[in-house]
Amino acid sequence: MWHNIAAFIIKFRIALLIILLSATGIMGYFASQVKLSYEFTSAVPTDNPKYVEYQNFRKKFGEDGNLMVIGVQTDKFFTPEFFNDYAVLAKAVAKVESVENVLSIPGAVTLVKDTLTSRLKVAPIAGDPPFDNVDSISKIFLNLPIYKDFLYNPETHAYMMAVRIEKDVLNSKNRAGVINAIVDLGDAFGEKHDMEMHYSGLPLIRTRMAMKVQSEMQLFLIMSFVLTAVILVLFFRSFMAVMASMLVVAIGVVWSVGTIVLLGYKITLLTALIPPLVVVIGIPNCVYLLNRYHHEYHRNPNKMKSLLRMVDRMGIVTFFTNLTAAIGFGVFFFTKSQLLKEFGLVAGINIIALFFISLVFIPAFFSFLPPPKVKHTSYLESGWINNLLTKITNWVFDHRMWIYGFTMVVCGLSVWGLTKLKNDAHIVDDLPKSDKVSVDLKFFEKNFKGVMPLEIVIDTRRKRGVTSGLSVIRKMDQLSAVLEAYPEIGKPISVANGVKFAAQQYFGGDSSYYAVPSDFGAAFLQPYLSGKSESGKTTLFSRLLLSFIDSTKQKARISVGMADIGSHKLPALLDSIRPKVYEIFDTGRYTVTFTGTSITFLEGSKFIVASLRDSLMLAFLIIFGCMIALFRSWRILLISIVVNIVPLLITAGLMGWLGIRIKPSTVLVFSVALGITIDVTIRFLVNFKQELARHDDSIADTVHRTIHDTGLSIIYTSLILIAGFGVFMLSQFDGTKSLGYLTSMTLLLAMVTNLTLLPALLLWMDKVIEKKNDAAAFLMGEDDNDVIKLND
């Protein structure tokens, strides 16, 4: 079949090239339309209960992840010059397009009791700058406990400005412009006062990460092209071989980006890795095909016959290696995570596409070129490579027991290391600790206990259950006190804060009155909680109070900012809070729900890790099913499983010993590595199977020949893959770095096991078959020389 395919490609090479280039032009058009994704919760499946709860919360109360914060730390805040400039900064930020509102100390409000009507009215503390009475403003402000630990921390002299941004712009490409405009204003203020400015909040974190993804995608593409080109030049010493390989992966890159657009997807942190992966995975296709072409031409200097033999011998190998790699990625499509689905489908499709691109382009392209010269095939007789392969062969034949023993010891240590693995992920996990985003997040965690949104929704199960009396609000205040006692949780904000604020101002303004009043003294609050004044209009204070209550007044929210404590500690924290919540809110009368971006992130992280684990098991089953179909031997299957599990096990063990945590980016390594490392095993075993008949079914002779025939290309392609994934170590994201060095390490281990453990186990199989035949001969009374060795 493959001979006929080879003949078809050579016969219709011009038409096939035209079709290929035309398709690439079309895909290039779609690739030019690609967009960045700014979504944050797509890792969670839409039918996940936590995701459903979060969406219901957003419908009731609006976004919780559209707040950006600006922080400063100084003991000169209430000096006239600084305070006036800070007020001007707040005004300027409020004028930035798509900024909904700004809450800052100069723009803070108080409540003033009307002496005639005894009603409370919202009034600004300061008014418009410039201010001459900064001292009096500070006294008024510092007497309002509602703002303490929210807009300022008196112990550390840290001050915060909260900027709410329109949710629609946060899901568009315009978000970068809005965030940058705010940061530019803040930096100009900081430069004037020689002060470090701190920025955080999900809008900024998401935007900064998206911008880094975009810049790194371009960097990795360039680096992977340059690095692989250099290795190919050293390998083939042929400009045309390098150019053909670069053209194949360039076409693959265009197709991969075009596929993202055609499927209606956008560039995410995961799909941004696909174009560089296409380069890294596509190059070995070219290396193996060209290596076989040169090998065949070296044997028989006939160009067209060598090209036919190249496709005939390597077509099935390349197909199965690309298929297994595609399976390694494609199984992610069967998860319920949209993020993984997109990555798996695009990667799987384009790895298979790489097979067709290389199978058509390489033979067609070289059919128009002159035959390779002696210098182009001289690498086949490379002295140091052949010496290395000879030493490997000697080790395999003479020291098999050492190989088995060393493998068992290393695997034992790796299993021990597995027990030390921990599952933990953070919202800004992939950013290094020295990055400005991480440093600023720690600033807010230190001074305000964090800014990551956590929402607690109290459902009274009846309409107007929140506002009919103050019992629910009093319970919410009690819960807020419980929450504030945790060092990881910032100041809770709810309708209870507004009620206490109103009570303080209504009863004279002294901070000692900042408390939920008794039912007897709370009559003045009812018009505000009902939402209507005497004139029938909704007052500003009512709108502020009711922003924490749903329209039916059945549900109320408690909003807190918390530290990014990670997916390991967050469940324990919530579990410690829940019993205290249920002591306050009887489960027979109330339903309490924990939601918000922090919860959905935790759920997404847990789900991705579980999905990657399940997809890895599915990949194992499918890939080794392909191995059975290809080799039809249970012994070969068993050997393949051992050879490919060992490098994965060692990598996992090293992660445990080195304290590398299990998180989405590190678990991804195993599925990626499995799909690629199995390629080397298939190439070795297919060559072994093809050579077996030529060596009179002598496994020992065939192993010896196969090490030398495939060792050269295995070493070079492994080096290319290791170098290609090594490029990811230049990333600013720790997760991408982990993907780079862990995958490179796994591929290095896979190269070693495939060149040592695999042939050693094949020789073990030879001994087993030999004993089996000897036993059969003994029982049948035949001479050993009359027994033909069995090929399983």
Side-chain angles (χ1 to χ4, degrees):
M1 181 184 75
W2 288 102
H3 182 79
N4 293 333
I5 292 174
F8 177 83
I9 292 172
I10 297 299
K11 183 177 180 180
F12 298 102
R13 59 189 183 276
I14 295 177
L16 289 173
L17 280 175
I18 291 172
I19 293 171
L20 180 62
L21 295 175
S22 299
T24 303
I26 294 171
M27 295 299 279
Y29 167 76
F30 286 108
S32 66
Q33 312 297 315
V34 72
K35 297 178 181 178
L36 278 172
S37 171
Y38 298 99
E39 292 295 326
F40 201 68
T41 56
S42 56
V44 188
T46 54
D47 60 349
N48 182 281
K50 298 295 183 184
Y51 182 81
V52 172
E53 288 174 354
Y54 179 58
Q55 295 307 314
N56 289 336
F57 168 83
R58 292 173 67 186
K59 289 178 183 176
K60 291 283 185 182
F61 299 103
E63 288 288 332
D64 72 324
N66 63 339
L67 190 69
M68 176 179 169
V69 291
I70 304 172
V72 297
Q73 191 168 23
T74 177
D75 55 2
K76 300 179 180 179
F77 188 86
F78 288 104
T79 59
E81 181 184 3
F82 189 94
F83 190 82
N84 276 288
D85 287 346
Y86 191 81
V88 171
L89 171 64
K91 290 281 186 182
V93 170
K95 292 179 181 177
V96 173
E97 187 177 0
S98 301
V99 170
E100 288 185 346
N101 56 67
V102 175
L103 179 58
S104 66
I105 293 176
V109 296
T110 186
L111 297 175
V112 178
K113 184 179 180 181
D114 190 303
T115 55
L116 295 177
T117 63
S118 295
R119 294 190 60 81
L120 295 172
K121 294 182 179 179
V122 176
I125 291 175
D128 294 324
F131 309 111
D132 297 323
N133 57 336
V134 175
D135 287 340
S136 61
I137 292 173
S138 68
K139 288 178 182 178
I140 296 172
F141 177 79
L142 296 175
N143 190 47
L144 300 175
I146 190 171
Y147 296 115
K148 184 182 177 183
D149 296 324
F150 177 54
L151 289 184
Y152 74 103
N153 183 330
E155 284 79 24
T156 63
H157 301 288
Y159 301 87
M160 184 171 72
M161 182 187 301
V163 184
R164 194 168 297 279
I165 302 171
E166 292 177 4
K167 63 178 182 179
D168 292 336
V169 78
L170 292 179
N171 292 325
S172 73
K173 63 181 181 181
N174 297 326
R175 68 183 294 165
V178 175
I179 298 298
N180 289 337
I182 295 171
V183 171
D184 289 343
L185 290 170
D187 287 346
F189 173 84
E191 185 177 348
K192 179 178 179 181
H193 291 275
D194 192 23
M195 176 179 297
E196 183 180 5
M197 303 296 292
H198 302 276
Y199 311 94
S200 196
L202 288 180
L204 178 122
I205 292 171
R206 295 173 185 175
T207 302
R208 288 288 186 251
M209 292 184 73
M211 291 169 66
K212 290 178 187 292
V213 166
Q214 186 178 30
S215 62
E216 287 196 352
M217 179 180 172
Q218 298 167 354
L219 172 66
F220 291 158
L221 265 179
I222 295 170
M223 289 293 294
S224 57
F225 266 103
V226 171
L227 199 58
T228 50
V230 169
I231 296 175
L232 287 172
V233 168
L234 295 174
F235 186 23
F236 290 117
R237 310 288 178 86
S238 167
F239 172 76
M240 285 302 176
V242 175
M243 187 176 76
S245 302
M246 292 294 102
L247 285 172
V248 166
V249 294
I251 292 171
V253 167
V254 171
W255 282 38
S256 66
V257 181
T259 305
I260 292 173
V261 177
L262 282 173
L263 293 174
Y265 301 155
K266 296 179 181 180
I267 295 291
T268 64
L269 187 60
L270 282 181
T271 53
L273 298 176
I274 293 176
L277 282 174
V278 165
V279 175
V280 173
I281 296 172
I283 288 295
N285 282 0
C286 304
V287 170
Y288 275 106
L289 287 170
L290 290 174
N291 178 242
R292 177 52 61 179
Y293 170 47
H294 291 158
H295 189 79
E296 295 295 338
Y297 187 81
H298 189 67
R299 284 182 176 179
N300 183 5
N302 183 311
K303 183 181 75 172
M304 299 307 291
K305 187 175 181 180
S306 298
L307 289 171
L308 287 169
R309 291 282 292 167
M310 173 189 75
V311 178
D312 186 20
R313 294 293 299 273
M314 297 305 297
I316 187 170
V317 181
T318 308
F319 172 72
F320 268 96
T321 54
N322 281 59
L323 178 63
T324 53
I327 290 170
F329 289 95
V331 289
F332 298 144
F333 178 73
F334 298 102
T335 68
K336 291 185 178 182
S337 169
Q338 186 62 27
L339 197 67
L340 290 175
K341 277 180 177 287
E342 294 176 8
F343 176 72
L345 184 59
V346 175
I349 289 173
N350 284 282
I351 291 172
I352 291 295
L354 272 174
F355 163 72
F356 292 103
I357 293 169
S358 55
L359 195 69
V360 168
F361 188 83
I362 293 294
F365 182 80
F366 280 92
S367 69
F368 294 107
L369 298 178
K373 297 178 182 179
V374 175
K375 68 175 183 178
H376 299 150
T377 59
S378 60
Y379 70 90
L380 295 171
E381 299 176 354
S382 172
W384 74 272
I385 286 287
N386 285 319
N387 290 335
L388 177 62
L389 293 175
T390 299
K391 290 180 180 179
I392 291 173
T393 305
N394 292 336
W395 257 92
V396 168
F397 278 85
D398 300 336
H399 304 286
R400 286 201 305 279
M401 297 309 296
W402 278 98
I403 293 173
Y404 298 150
F406 182 76
T407 302
M408 291 176 68
V409 170
V410 172
C411 287
L413 291 172
S414 299
V415 171
W416 189 4
L418 278 175
T419 62
K420 300 178 180 294
L421 280 174
K422 294 182 180 179
N423 184 352
D424 194 19
H426 296 255
I427 291 179
V428 293
D429 210 16
D430 286 335
L431 289 174
K433 293 181 180 179
S434 59
D435 188 271
K436 174 69 173 171
V437 173
S438 298
V439 171
D440 284 355
L441 181 62
K442 292 301 178 185
F443 169 84
F444 288 101
E445 289 180 356
K446 178 182 177 182
N447 293 285
F448 299 98
K449 297 187 179 181
V451 293
M452 295 304 169
L454 173 65
E455 300 285 347
I456 301 173
V457 179
I458 313 297
D459 184 357
T460 62
R461 303 180 187 175
R462 55 193 175 91
K463 290 184 177 181
R464 300 187 180 277
V466 177
T467 58
S468 58
L470 294 179
S471 60
V472 173
I473 294 175
R474 196 170 287 113
K475 289 177 180 291
M476 292 176 68
D477 185 48
Q478 186 180 349
L479 176 57
S480 294
V482 169
L483 294 172
E484 204 165 359
Y486 285 87
E488 305 90 347
I489 296 179
K491 182 170 183 173
I493 302 296
S494 69
V495 64
N497 299 80
V499 168
K500 292 193 294 182
F501 186 28
Q504 175 189 355
Q505 300 307 100
Y506 188 83
F507 294 114
D510 191 279
S511 58
S512 61
Y513 289 105
Y514 184 73
V516 178
S518 64
D519 291 337
F520 176 76
F524 77 96
L525 285 169
Q526 285 307 315
Y528 307 107
L529 293 175
S530 66
K532 297 293 182 182
S533 65
E534 293 177 356
S535 62
K537 296 181 179 180
T538 303
T539 65
L540 176 58
F541 180 52
S542 290
R543 291 198 297 272
L544 292 173
L545 283 179
L546 298 178
S547 63
F548 291 92
I549 306 174
D550 75 331
S551 58
T552 63
K553 300 181 179 61
Q554 176 178 321
K555 298 178 180 180
R557 66 190 279 197
I558 300 176
S559 300
V560 298
M562 65 177 298
D564 182 17
I565 60 175
S567 59
H568 179 69
K569 292 182 179 179
L570 184 55
L573 176 65
L574 296 178
D575 288 342
S576 70
I577 293 173
R578 284 191 178 94
K580 299 176 182 179
V581 171
Y582 299 143
E583 284 181 12
I584 299 170
F585 290 97
D586 181 10
T587 54
R589 296 181 58 192
Y590 304 97
T591 302
V592 181
T593 305
F594 292 82
T595 187
T597 305
S598 296
I599 301 294
T600 52
F601 165 77
L602 166 66
E603 197 67 19
S605 177
K606 287 167 53 182
F607 187 82
I608 286 178
V609 171
S611 297
L612 288 170
R613 180 196 61 218
D614 295 342
S615 63
L616 180 62
M617 295 173 64
L618 180 60
F620 259 107
L621 292 174
I622 298 175
I623 287 173
F624 291 119
C626 293
M627 298 288 283
I628 291 177
L630 183 61
F631 297 108
R632 302 180 185 278
S633 166
W634 68 267
R635 288 192 179 94
I636 291 290
L637 176 63
L638 179 62
I639 290 171
S640 301
I641 291 173
V642 172
V643 169
N644 284 277
I645 282 181
V646 167
L648 297 178
L649 181 62
I650 294 173
T651 300
L654 282 172
M655 286 174 59
W657 285 110
L658 297 175
I660 300 172
R661 292 170 285 119
I662 294 177
K663 52 185 178 179
S665 53
T666 53
V667 177
L668 182 65
V669 169
F670 298 101
S671 292
V672 172
L674 174 64
I676 297 174
T677 57
I678 197 71
D679 293 0
V680 181
T681 306
I682 290 175
R683 293 182 194 277
F684 189 99
L685 290 175
V686 167
N687 189 278
F688 171 81
K689 183 179 180 181
Q690 291 172 341
E691 293 290 334
L692 192 60
R694 298 182 183 181
H695 293 84
D696 298 324
D697 289 339
S698 170
I699 290 178
D701 292 342
T702 307
V703 166
H704 188 283
R705 183 69 261 166
T706 303
I707 292 175
H708 280 270
D709 281 353
T710 63
L712 179 69
S713 54
I714 285 175
I715 290 173
Y716 272 107
T717 52
S718 295
L719 290 177
I720 289 171
L721 287 167
I722 290 167
F725 278 98
V727 168
F728 294 141
M729 287 189 283
L730 299 175
S731 173
Q732 299 177 67
F733 297 103
D734 284 348
T736 309
K737 282 183 181 179
S738 299
L739 178 66
Y741 67 75
L742 289 174
T743 305
S744 296
M745 181 174 64
T746 308
L747 294 175
L748 177 63
L749 292 168
M751 179 186 74
V752 174
T753 56
N754 276 284
L755 287 176
T756 56
L757 185 60
L758 175 58
L761 290 173
L762 288 173
L763 292 175
W764 162 79
M765 185 176 72
D766 185 28
K767 294 294 182 183
V768 171
I769 294 173
E770 186 177 330
K771 288 180 180 179
K772 178 181 177 182
N773 289 341
D774 288 345
F778 175 79
L779 292 172
M780 296 171 63
E782 297 177 354
D783 187 78
D784 288 348
N785 295 327
D786 296 329
V787 179
I788 301 174
K789 289 187 177 180
L790 299 175
N791 179 22
D792 202 33

